[in-house]
Amino acid sequence: MAERRTRADAVSNRARIVQVARELLTSTSELPMNAVAKAAGVGQGTLYRNFPTREALLAEVYKADVDVLVASAPDLLAQHDAAAAFRLWLDNVADYARVKRGVLAALEGGELAAGHHDPIAGAIDRLLAAGRDEGTLRADVGAQDVLLLLGFLSRPEAAERAHHVLDLIFNGLRVR
Amino acid sequence: MAERRTRADAVSNRARIVQVARELLTSTSELPMNAVAKAAGVGQGTLYRNFPTREALLAEVYKADVDVLVASAPDLLAQHDAAAAFRLWLDNVADYARVKRGVLAALEGGELAAGHHDPIAGAIDRLLAAGRDEGTLRADVGAQDVLLLLGFLSRPEAAERAHHVLDLIFNGLRVR
DNA sequence: ACCTGAACACCGTTCAAGT
DNA sequence: ACCTGAACACCGTTCAAGT
């Protein structure tokens, strides 16, 4: 199977689409596909061949952020006990959610979350498993449960109360 | 100020709009305004004068359900201690959410929830206050926090795990 | 091989014209 | 006083035609 080199213009088009989408998302939380195509200077067809769904585009836009979030889980586990690591990781998620609301939108129920190997779910699983071994976090909690609970971060009103609500959630996941 | 009798056709139009919307929501969770107008046999203008936003229409459709939910709070408090009443009330909410997903959509961030006198928030406040007096529920929890946490019920994947996630939430709201 | 952009099917919402 | 429905401004998505 011969490796086929993608045309140079195709490569730059794809990169420009992602860059433009990222910029559009800094001003508003909406992302009209036609607006992305126009701002990127490509036809709608080009946009859709690169990213068949908006979820796919969002996943690409926030890939770097998600990678950082996922990578921070083992780092925190190396420096703290599992319960503290989990609590700190939740704060990381909240910080990302505050700055870039779209991260959560991409995360929940989309390509990222529904994919076979959702990296975020993997990070949560790791933290939960450590807490279970330690005996500080409830053994009957799955990554799915945590993802559902974190969904509140995507609501606009969440910003002010995020920290407090995370405390309540964390309190609920600890063993009594 | 003389009471003005609304025209008979106007009254029946309004009732038919609500009835048709309710029926449409049993099959799908979407509610296109034009589809409502067409199914109700009225012009779009009539629909919009009665219900300026979709939220307003949803609020009317689910008014009866919300009333039942709100009324159940004092009933539960009369028969159980505050913590048990709160737990049972949460189950009531989950049951409604399972059957009619739209109740939650109408509840969260919409006319119902954002209104000056959100009845749901009132019911939650009442339950929380009783739990605080009793010393079983955390004093630093507000109705807003609970509403944010309950938002997960509107997600399609929530159905199977709703009961378990509610346990986690309840666990987090209790005093240690 | 990749691209463009007209075109289609759908929204929500408004408002002039009717009764 | 209330209603109708054409019309407008927007979506997402497809696909024939180009290079």
Side-chain angles (χ1 to χ4, degrees), chain B:
Chain B
M1 37 184 75
E3 284 281 326
R4 277 237 132 267
R5 284 232 306 178
T6 19
R7 249 164 52 176
D9 57 339
V11 171
S12 77
N13 276 342
R14 189 172 216 275
R16 210 164 55 254
I17 288 169
V18 175
Q19 186 196 336
V20 157
R22 209 188 313 267
E23 284 163 11
L24 286 176
L25 282 169
T26 58
S27 42
T28 40
S29 67
E30 282 151 41
L31 192 63
M33 294 297 264
N34 283 343
V36 173
K38 192 179 175 185
V42 300
Q44 299 97 304
T46 300
L47 171 57
Y48 275 88
R49 192 161 4 79
N50 279 287
F51 304 102
T53 67
R54 196 206 323 284
E55 289 294 344
L57 178 52
L58 285 172
E60 184 69 21
V61 167
Y62 291 118
K63 191 178 183 307
D65 296 298
V66 169
D67 285 349
V68 169
L69 217 47
V70 168
S72 73
D75 291 352
L76 289 169
L77 279 172
Q79 293 177 18
H80 306 83
D81 60 90
F86 188 60
R87 185 68 191 81
L88 290 168
W89 190 82
L90 290 178
D91 278 333
N92 281 355
V93 175
D95 288 343
Y96 272 110
R98 195 193 325 255
V99 180
K100 313 196 178 184
R101 183 93 39 79
V103 176
L104 265 292
L107 185 154
E108 64 181 28
E111 292 272 309
L112 283 175
H116 307 288
H117 305 296
D118 175 15
I120 301 258
I124 295 175
D125 265 332
R126 204 154 160 175
L127 290 159
L128 288 174
R132 178 166 21 93
D133 293 348
E134 208 180 65
T136 48
L137 295 182
R138 285 170 60 147
D140 62 348
V141 182
Q144 261 193 57
D145 302 321
V146 177
L147 282 170
L148 282 172
L149 286 168
L150 291 182
F152 86 93
L153 288 169
S154 65
R155 311 223 96 249
E157 327 91 78
E160 330 143 357
R161 306 195 73 80
H163 190 72
H164 186 230
V165 175
L166 284 179
D167 267 336
L168 299 176
I169 291 174
F170 180 67
N171 192 40
L173 301 186
R174 287 164 69 187
V175 295
R176 292 194 162 268

